[in-house]
Amino acid sequence: WLQIAYFGAYLLMSVPAGFLLQARGYRFGLVTGLVVTAFGAFLFVPSAQAESFPFFVASMFVLASGLCVLETSADTYVSVLGPAEDATKRLNLAQSFNALGVFFGPLIGGSLFFSPEVTKTMGGPQQSVQVTYLVIGVAVLVFAFFMARAYLPEIREPAHAAANDTGPDVPLIRQRHFVLGVITLGFYIGAQVGVGGFFVNLTIETWHGMTAQGAAYLLSVATLAYLVGRFATTALLLRFAPRTILTLYGVINVVLCLLAATGIEKVSALALVGVFFFMGTMFPTIFTLGIRDLGRSTKRASSIMVMAIGVGVILPYPMGLIGDAYGMPPAFLLPAAGFALVALYGWVGAKGD
């Protein structure tokens, strides 16, 4: 239910976030996203006090709604803030710092939620949850305050359109690279969530003697590979075209997922570590290729691209069914298909109309 609340927020709130950007601009969208995220974090305090799971689900939906507005605003702003040909480089660099959170977040959260010493110091599990989310909420609010006062040049739609439009407006549904980008991004997110969600299961199943703790440690190594992959690829984008890298990385991940699907002792788990390295750059690259040259429709298109994140909740379900019926390795044929679509988009789908 928590995953449904998280990804459901992206499905339901992305388009309203796009309208908000069109009406009030990027700065307002960024600050609003931060404030709603902080409010969602604060809601976890009474949720823990009441020990109410439905309240937890509602709190997660509010927090994810704030993140949705924030991601729609920030990703679009970074994409249009400068020459269009460098948009992929900018967003990859910006999201490289997001990968720092992917790596350090579980380490910090684990030390707060699962450390007996820390939990005891805070007064018990309930209090540790409350203190953690209270600190998160305050930190996000402080950042929102500085964001509201910072100088952020507002890029108005007419100016942006003048720089990028080469002809009359074309409806988004007829923009081939955008439509295929939305579809590809949805399948990529599904593949990413599936790989991360079942990493531990596959590792335990295909690595003799591996414990859950050991598999979790290997997962932390994989998230480090994700972090390194983003920074390394940002450097590669200085020399190679985004479509070339996306195609190559997609093909490599297809091979690695097929290797994971064989269930070979140790090799399958290590192949998934490689998957993390090569998938780190896929979201920002697909996103910027999908919204390029859309002029006045950029903000609305960005919100629809972010909405595709909500599809990420779908793929893990059939993967779980396959894992229960045939073992975990064959389930990774589904992420392989998702990465094949990513490679195909980089090769032909992202071409201009």
Side-chain angles (χ1 to χ4, degrees), residues 124-202:
Q126 183 185 77
Q127 286 73 21
S128 68
V129 171
Q130 291 176 314
V131 171
T132 299
Y133 279 100
L134 184 62
V135 171
I136 290 173
V138 171
V140 173
L141 271 187
V142 170
F143 188 69
F145 173 78
F146 285 107
M147 180 69 70
R149 297 177 63 86
Y151 171 69
L152 295 176
E154 184 63 41
I155 300 176
R156 299 292 178 184
E157 286 188 332
H160 183 245
N164 291 282
D165 285 353
T166 56
D169 286 341
V170 178
L172 285 177
I173 193 66
R174 292 176 56 191
Q175 297 280 4
R176 177 174 170 271
H177 71 283
F178 165 71
V179 174
L180 294 178
V182 172
I183 296 171
T184 302
L185 191 61
F187 277 94
Y188 161 70
I189 293 296
Q192 181 190 32
V193 173
V195 169
F198 291 105
F199 181 95
V200 171
N201 304 66
L202 179 129

Side-chain angles (χ1 to χ4, degrees), residues 2-234:
L2 288 174
Q3 277 201 339
I4 291 174
Y6 182 87
F7 288 107
Y10 277 87
L11 281 173
L12 296 176
M13 301 306 298
S14 294
V15 172
F19 287 129
L20 180 69
L21 285 183
Q22 288 183 312
R24 301 299 300 271
Y26 291 106
R27 183 208 295 268
F28 189 84
L30 290 167
V31 174
T32 300
L34 289 168
V35 171
V36 174
T37 300
F39 180 63
F42 289 141
L43 285 178
F44 278 93
V45 177
S47 298
Q49 186 66 36
E51 297 182 351
S52 169
F53 184 69
F55 204 169
F56 265 104
V57 174
S59 301
M60 177 62 76
F61 181 84
V62 174
L63 187 146
S65 297
L67 292 175
C68 171
V69 176
L70 182 61
E71 186 156 8
T72 303
S73 306
D75 288 353
T76 313
Y77 189 57
V78 171
S79 298
V80 302
L81 192 62
E85 61 272 17
D86 294 329
T88 302
K89 302 172 190 174
R90 289 193 300 274
L91 190 55
N92 267 277
L93 178 60
Q95 292 221 342
S96 294
F97 294 94
N98 168 280
L100 285 171
V102 173
F103 177 66
F104 287 108
L107 297 178
I108 297 172
S111 66
L112 291 175
F113 291 133
F114 302 113
S115 170
E117 295 80 9
V118 175
T119 300
K120 184 177 179 180
T121 302
M122 290 186 177
Q126 183 185 77
Q127 286 73 21
S128 68
V129 171
Q130 291 176 314
V131 171
T132 299
Y133 279 100
L134 184 62
V135 171
I136 290 173
V138 171
V140 173
L141 271 187
V142 170
F143 188 69
F145 173 78
F146 285 107
M147 180 69 70
R149 297 177 63 86
Y151 171 69
L152 295 176
E154 184 63 41
I155 300 176
R156 299 292 178 184
E157 286 188 332
H160 183 245
N164 291 282
D165 285 353
T166 56
D169 286 341
V170 178
L172 285 177
I173 193 66
R174 292 176 56 191
Q175 297 280 4
R176 177 174 170 271
H177 71 283
F178 165 71
V179 174
L180 294 178
V182 172
I183 296 171
T184 302
L185 191 61
F187 277 94
Y188 161 70
I189 293 296
Q192 181 190 32
V193 173
V195 169
F198 291 105
F199 181 95
V200 171
N201 304 66
L202 179 129
T203 301
I204 293 174
E205 191 171 322
T206 61
W207 195 311
H208 181 70
M210 177 65 73
T211 63
Q213 184 178 13
Y217 173 76
L218 189 61
L219 179 58
S220 69
V221 174
T223 58
L224 180 61
Y226 182 85
L227 168 63
V228 173
R230 274 204 169 162
F231 278 106
T233 304
T234 300

Side-chain angles (χ1 to χ4, degrees), residues 239-264:
R239 298 193 60 182
F240 301 98
R243 284 182 51 216
T244 301
I245 291 179
L246 187 64
T247 303
L248 178 61
Y249 280 20
V251 171
I252 292 174
N253 267 3
V254 169
V255 174
L256 290 174
C257 281
L258 292 177
L259 195 56
T262 62
I264 300 174

Side-chain angles (χ1 to χ4, degrees), residues 207-334:
W207 195 311
H208 181 70
M210 177 65 73
T211 63
Q213 184 178 13
Y217 173 76
L218 189 61
L219 179 58
S220 69
V221 174
T223 58
L224 180 61
Y226 182 85
L227 168 63
V228 173
R230 274 204 169 162
F231 278 106
T233 304
T234 300
L236 288 176
L237 284 168
L238 297 174
R239 298 193 60 182
F240 301 98
R243 284 182 51 216
T244 301
I245 291 179
L246 187 64
T247 303
L248 178 61
Y249 280 20
V251 171
I252 292 174
N253 267 3
V254 169
V255 174
L256 290 174
C257 281
L258 292 177
L259 195 56
T262 62
I264 300 174
E265 174 79 12
K266 298 183 181 179
V267 174
S268 290
L270 294 176
L272 287 188
V273 176
V275 169
F276 273 81
F277 178 91
F278 291 106
M279 75 178 178
T281 187
M282 290 182 178
F283 176 87
T285 304
I286 296 169
F287 185 91
T288 51
L289 289 174
I291 67 169
R292 79 185 192 283
D293 300 332
L294 295 180
R296 295 178 178 86
S297 300
T298 298
K299 292 176 180 177
R300 187 157 50 92
S302 299
S303 68
I304 297 173
M305 291 287 283
V306 172
M307 185 174 66
I309 294 175
V311 179
V313 75
I314 297 176
L315 191 62
Y317 180 70
M319 286 185 69
L321 293 179
I322 294 173
D324 290 339
Y326 305 104
M328 208 63 244
F332 281 84
L333 292 174
L334 294 183

